[in-house]
Amino acid sequence: MSLQRREFLGLGVAAGTAAFLAACGVPGGSSGSGATGPLRALFMKQAGYSESDINAMIGAFKAAYPKVPVEATFVAYEALHDKIVTSAAAGKFDVVLIDGQWLTEFATKKMIIDVTSRFKPDWKTTMLPVEEIVRYQDRDYAMPWVVGGKLFYYNKKLLADNGVAETDMKTWDGVLGAARTLKKKGAVKFPFVWSWAQAECVIVDYGSLLAAFGGRWQDDQGKFVFNTGGGVTALEWMKSTIDEGLTDPSSLKYIEDDVKRVLLQGQAAMVLNWDYVASAAKDPQQSKVVGDIVVTTSPIGPSGAGPACTGSSNLAITTGCERVDDAWNFVTFLASPAQQEAHPDNITPIWADSYSKASVLGDNPELAKAHGEQLKSVTDRPKVNNYNAISQVIQQQIQAALYGQQSPQAALDTAVEKANELATA
């Protein structure tokens, strides 16, 4: 995909807030549609921008647009997709936060509106190369808001105390060897902890390893083929870390917040997780290992690359919205340079010029550096119409292999057969 190997730091482009807002609408304006009541927005309450970040952004929007009240609802990621679907017929929400993988489904079912004509030409140069994540059949259906992949975190003190070189963290072979050393020396009971619950998180982790081990989700004709080559090797690798006692078996029930907690309690040495862990690792109220956690890019696998599986969150306007102009002003305000630069602790901005600003680099320049480097090597989850159902099938079969109920090969054979059936349903 186009995000791979694309440079963005140091582009020297300008994305001034005043110009941005002027292009998106006049503060205090109204849609003139005659609709009353607040804009109703649906957000996620876990990884990504925190609930307090979003409420602060909404407060700033209300100050800029006093005639446009906003009512926000927050749900867990695992409930977000179904909440959007079940509320669509009733027109309950005007703006919804969507996972990038749902865009094809929602656009095909005409649950979100086409906003192509509202995209500004200069965004192609002032944004990171992220427009692809909101495109379906060459049309734009959302405003990019969060983009990136899971990063790699390790406890440098645990490594140093046990004679493990930080350079070993550059490859999955090195990481595996480090885990074995830490296990042998009793540094931690389980060097690895993962978000391998039967949820979307296991798809993301498997997706990163799938690409690192040289596999792919689909062939050039769109047929699922992850039950061959690196797809099988990746799942065998995951299962072997459980069998060797290197991976905490609780990983099979954990999502990302659980992984963050275990790492920051000093009970694990190496994890994959989202941007927001970097800030939490420096917070004494959340972390017992302040100063010990390093954030870097995903390790390189046998494929010669260390891609991270992307996780984008975008702001879409529902087809039931009666105040489209107000809704567009709202989503572009939340995604504006000013708002993203004001809340850089958990999420790095989508604007290239932001990465030259001290307010963004702040106390965590290593996060910005890692994020920038990782965007040169990413991999995506399948973009298919029936993605959510397909994802659930794959989750179930990955877990069947990890629990030892089926061999990795048999589990993936079943997953591929069912995924291909659903993709053509």
Side-chain angles (χ1 to χ4, degrees):
M1 59 183 294
S2 64
L3 283 176
Q4 287 180 311
R5 300 178 298 278
R6 297 214 21 204
E7 301 280 349
F8 70 86
L9 294 179
L11 288 178
V13 294
T17 303
F20 182 92
L21 294 177
C24 298
V26 180
S30 177
S31 65
S33 67
T36 58
L39 278 177
R40 299 151 303 170
L42 180 65
F43 296 99
M44 173 177 66
K45 65 166 58 176
Q46 51 201 71
Y49 284 112
S50 68
E51 194 167 338
S52 61
D53 285 341
I54 295 171
N55 283 327
M57 291 178 178
I58 291 173
F61 176 80
K62 289 178 179 178
Y65 292 82
K67 297 180 182 179
V68 187
V70 175
E71 181 181 277
T73 299
F74 295 85
V75 298
Y77 172 86
E78 286 73 23
L80 187 59
H81 174 275
D82 290 353
K83 184 81 168 177
I84 294 170
V85 172
T86 57
S87 64
K92 186 173 181 180
F93 297 104
D94 301 295
V95 172
V96 290
L97 179 71
I98 65 170
D99 189 307
Q101 307 311 121
W102 306 335
L103 188 132
T104 298
E105 174 191 355
F106 292 165
T108 301
K109 294 180 178 177
K110 301 188 184 305
M111 294 169 61
I112 55 178
I113 70 169
D114 182 335
V115 294
T116 307
S117 63
R118 295 174 181 266
F119 259 67
K120 305 303 173 185
D122 70 307
W123 288 355
K124 293 181 183 295
T125 54
T126 56
M127 280 183 184
L128 307 182
V130 298
E131 189 179 6
E132 182 178 327
I133 66 176
V134 297
R135 303 216 94 192
Y136 172 64
Q137 295 185 344
D138 296 323
R139 307 294 294 177
D140 297 310
Y141 283 89
M143 182 70 187
W145 198 33
V146 174
V147 66
K150 279 191 175 180
L151 298 168
F152 188 68
Y153 296 85
Y154 63 87
N155 186 318
K156 65 181 181 181
K157 186 176 187 300
L158 277 177
L159 266 57
D161 288 350
N162 291 277
V164 177
E166 289 190 54
T167 53
D168 288 349
M169 301 296 100
K170 294 184 180 298
T171 68
W172 281 116
D173 279 348
V175 166
L176 184 62
R180 288 169 173 160
T181 297
L182 294 174
K183 177 78 174 182
K184 183 177 181 179
K185 293 191 174 184
V188 284
K189 186 175 182 180
F190 300 110
F192 293 135
V193 63
W194 308 81
S195 48
W196 288 352
Q198 188 176 312
E200 190 64 21
C201 51
V202 75
I203 298 292
V204 175
D205 281 8
Y206 173 69
S208 292
L209 292 165
L210 168 77
F213 281 84
R216 57 178 179 164
W217 291 110
Q218 296 163 282
D219 64 17
D220 294 340
Q221 286 71 48
K223 183 179 179 181
F224 285 101
V225 293
F226 56 90
N227 62 331
T228 61
V232 178
T233 306
L235 187 53
E236 289 174 341
W237 188 94
M238 293 164 70
K239 180 64 165 66
S240 73
T241 67
I242 297 174
D243 294 344
E244 286 190 50
L246 304 177
T247 283
D248 186 338
S250 295
S251 297
L252 300 183
K253 298 178 181 179
Y254 282 170
I255 62 174
E256 288 90 345
D257 277 355
D258 301 308
V259 171
K260 179 187 76 169
R261 172 181 51 79
V262 174
L263 177 71
L264 301 190
Q265 289 297 307
Q267 297 171 355
M270 297 164 286
V271 308
L272 283 176
N273 216 323
W274 301 109
D275 298 25
Y276 75 124
V277 174
S279 176
K282 296 190 173 188
D283 181 359
Q285 294 186 336
Q286 300 184 64
S287 176
K288 292 183 178 179
V289 287
V290 173
D292 295 340
I293 302 301
V294 174
V295 56
T296 187
T297 53
S298 187
I300 294 170
S303 69
C309 192
T310 55
S312 63
S313 297
N314 312 302
L315 298 167
I317 301 171
T318 67
T319 49
C321 178
E322 297 181 353
R323 305 169 67 173
V324 174
D325 289 340
D326 287 344
W328 183 246
N329 284 343
F330 177 62
V331 301
T332 52
F333 184 92
L334 265 58
S336 69
Q339 290 307 307
Q340 292 210 312
E341 290 168 9
H343 303 279
D345 289 343
N346 295 313
I347 294 296
T348 42
I350 63 170
W351 305 96
D353 194 49
S354 298
Y355 292 83
S356 65
K357 298 184 178 180
S359 60
V360 172
L361 298 176
D363 296 328
N364 227 332
E366 61 271 27
L367 172 60
K369 179 181 178 182
H371 181 88
E373 287 296 316
Q374 190 62 75
L375 281 181
K376 300 173 191 176
S377 181
V378 295
T379 184
D380 207 354
R381 289 165 285 165
K383 280 192 167 76
V384 289
N385 184 32
N386 209 6
Y387 176 78
N388 225 44
I390 290 171
S391 173
Q392 290 174 21
V393 165
I394 300 172
Q395 294 167 28
Q396 292 165 2
Q397 293 305 312
I398 289 175
Q399 281 233 319
L402 296 179
Y403 274 112
Q405 297 163 351
Q406 294 189 61
S407 71
Q409 183 69 68
L412 294 180
D413 286 345
T414 300
V416 164
E417 181 182 0
K418 292 183 177 180
N420 280 321
E421 289 174 359
L422 287 166
T424 56

